[in-house]
């Protein structure tokens, strides 16, 4: 157990081993991981730039896009540089305090991303079910308030996580069978009762991601009811088309998240390398796909993107 300082039974460092059973393939796996990470950075920064520089895009839907893009950048950047350092240079050690910070950022900002997706669902609900009141309900002040509430929710609910982990003794090992510091991966290393920590983590997960998902489903039930009450088929398709990119973002974001959450707590027969691989997909793929989805399926962003890329006309 290298790098241990057993004062108060806390290791000075943890050792990340990467993807168990696939250590010989780390270099090969790092190539698509690095490529996806670069695409995520480029896509989300481009989305932020396009929306910021075009005043016509300063509308609720696009402002929520910006919030989600910022959250995606933080999520993937919190984990990927250390992961690539582990894969490329065998840099396995991570300081105890840095590990706790990584736990807090990954979980809290992931809950913020979930909240922003819920806010986008609310925007689509108001736009389709109450179109005449959309601009009066979702003012810039209200949008700012929603964004701040989502950020505070994530910060407050997940701020106990690092303290719960810090108060635990780690007298078994300092080796984490993962590519980054994750709450459940660390709590399994503790040599003390962890029922309170596990219960709190489960409760917070339901009050953030779980509740968000339920509210998103409810909003789309109302949206579909309103759409199918429209007599014109053309108007129905147009209304559904405005929700297409958001539905894709929901599927991309929540599918790996639920798989990772459930397998950590109940999937004892899932091979560790499968779970850890999906956990990395959860941090990488949604940040990469979200700006592509919005760029392809949102006409105004697509037009602005091609306008920037087109050569200047004299």
């Amino acid at each position: 157990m290298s790098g241990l300082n057993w004062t108060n039974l806390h290791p000075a460092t943890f050792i990340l081993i990467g993807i168990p059973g696939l250590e010989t393939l780390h270099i090969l796996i790092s190539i698509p991981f690095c490529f996806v990470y670069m695409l995520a950075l480029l896509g989300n920064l481009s989305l932020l730039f396009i929306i910021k520089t075009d005043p016509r895009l300063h509308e609720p839907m696009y402002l929520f896009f910006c919030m989600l893009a910022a959250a995606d950048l933080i999520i993937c950047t919190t984990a990927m540089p250390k992961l690539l350092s582990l894969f490329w240079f065998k840099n396995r050690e991570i300081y105890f305090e840095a590990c706790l910070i990584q736990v807090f950022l990954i979980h809290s900002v992931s809950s913020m991303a979930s909240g922003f997706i819920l806010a986008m669902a609310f925007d689509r609900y108001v736009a389709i079910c109450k179109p005449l009141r959309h601009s009066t309900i979702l003012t810039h002040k209200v949008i700012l308030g929603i964004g701040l509430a989502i950020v505070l929710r994530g910060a407050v609910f997940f701020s106990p996580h690092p303290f719960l982990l810090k108060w635990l003794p780690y007298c078994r090992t300092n080796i984490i069978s993962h590519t980054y510091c994750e709450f459940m991966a660390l709590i399994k290393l503790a040599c003390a009762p962890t029922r309170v920590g596990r219960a709190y983590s489960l409760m917070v997960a339901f009050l953030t991601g779980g509740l968000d998902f339920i509210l998103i489903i409810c909003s789309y039930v109302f949206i579909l009811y309103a759409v199918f009450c429209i007599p014109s088929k053309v108007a129905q398709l147009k209304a559904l088309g405005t929700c297409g990119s958001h539905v894709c973002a929901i599927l991309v974001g929540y599918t790996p998240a639920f798989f990772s959450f459930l397998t950590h707590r109940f999937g004892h027969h899932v091979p560790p390398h499968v779970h850890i691989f999906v956990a990395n997909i959860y941090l990488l793929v949604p940040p990469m796909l979200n700006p592509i989805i919005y760029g392809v399926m949102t006409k105004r962003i697509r037009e602005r993107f091609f306008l920037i890329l087109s050569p200047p006309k004299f």
Side-chain angles (χ1 to χ4, degrees):
M1 299 181 189
S2 62
L4 290 180
N5 175 11
W6 290 112
T7 305
N8 297 325
L9 295 178
H10 284 167
T13 60
F14 282 114
I15 307 298
L16 298 166
I17 67 169
I19 303 178
L22 300 179
E23 288 87 352
T24 57
L25 300 176
H26 277 177
I27 295 293
L28 187 63
I29 295 171
S30 70
I31 297 172
F33 276 22
C34 181
F35 179 69
V36 171
Y37 177 51
M38 292 297 107
L39 284 180
L41 291 180
L42 179 62
N44 285 289
L45 289 173
S46 299
L47 187 67
L48 289 170
F49 175 77
I50 288 170
I51 295 174
K52 183 181 184 302
T53 56
D54 190 345
R56 297 175 303 165
L57 297 179
H58 294 177
E59 296 179 3
M61 179 171 68
Y62 304 107
L63 295 176
F64 288 134
F65 283 176
C66 284
M67 296 178 191
L68 181 61
D72 282 343
L73 284 170
I74 296 172
I75 290 169
C76 60
T77 302
T78 298
M80 284 306 114
K82 180 61 183 176
L83 181 147
L84 294 175
S85 174
L86 187 158
F87 282 6
W88 290 344
F89 310 114
K90 308 299 182 184
N91 183 11
R92 301 178 184 274
E93 290 192 343
I94 181 169
Y95 287 109
F96 181 78
E97 293 77 11
C99 197
L100 297 185
I101 292 171
Q102 195 177 61
V103 168
F104 171 73
L105 286 177
I106 288 174
H107 289 284
S108 63
V109 181
S110 294
S111 81
M112 294 175 199
S114 174
F116 296 140
I117 293 175
L118 173 61
M120 291 157 62
F122 177 67
D123 169 71
R124 292 299 86 204
Y125 164 76
V126 175
I128 292 174
C129 300
K130 303 179 185 296
L132 299 180
R133 298 179 57 196
H134 183 261
S135 59
T136 57
I137 293 175
L138 286 172
T139 62
H140 282 194
K141 185 176 180 180
V142 170
I143 293 167
L144 179 62
I146 292 173
L148 287 175
I150 291 169
V151 170
L152 286 174
R153 183 193 70 167
V156 170
F157 277 14
F158 287 93
S159 58
H161 274 45
F163 295 102
L164 289 171
L165 293 171
K166 188 175 178 64
W167 292 334
L168 290 172
Y170 300 91
C171 54
R172 294 184 186 137
T173 180
N174 68 331
I175 298 174
I176 303 173
S177 299
H178 214 299
T179 54
Y180 58 87
C181 294
E182 201 268 349
F183 182 79
M184 290 302 298
L186 263 70
I187 210 169
K188 289 176 181 178
L189 304 182
C191 52
T194 58
R195 184 176 299 175
V196 173
R198 290 171 184 265
Y200 181 79
S201 175
L202 190 65
M203 179 189 71
V204 168
F206 173 75
L207 290 176
T208 54
L211 188 59
D212 288 347
F213 187 72
I214 292 171
L215 293 174
I216 289 169
I217 296 298
C218 291
S219 69
Y220 270 90
V221 169
F222 288 114
I223 288 170
L224 290 175
Y225 177 78
V227 167
F228 289 115
C229 288
I230 300 173
S232 170
K233 293 292 183 182
V234 175
Q236 287 181 1
L237 292 174
K238 184 177 180 181
L240 290 174
T242 63
C243 301
S245 59
H246 187 231
V247 172
C248 291
I250 293 168
L251 294 175
V252 165
Y254 279 99
T255 303
F258 281 139
F259 181 87
S260 180
F261 172 81
L262 293 173
T263 53
H264 241 320
R265 289 161 176 82
F266 311 110
H268 303 296
H269 301 294
V270 177
H273 65 273
V274 173
H275 164 71
I276 294 171
F277 199 82
V278 173
N280 284 281
I281 288 175
Y282 164 62
L283 294 186
L284 268 178
V285 174
M288 179 199 70
L289 287 182
N290 283 340
I292 295 174
I293 290 169
Y294 302 138
V296 170
M297 302 188 70
T298 307
K299 182 180 178 182
R300 291 171 67 177
I301 292 179
R302 186 170 65 247
E303 289 175 346
R304 179 66 177 169
F305 179 75
F306 286 127
L307 182 63
I308 292 173
L309 289 182
S310 61
K313 297 178 180 179
F314 298 98

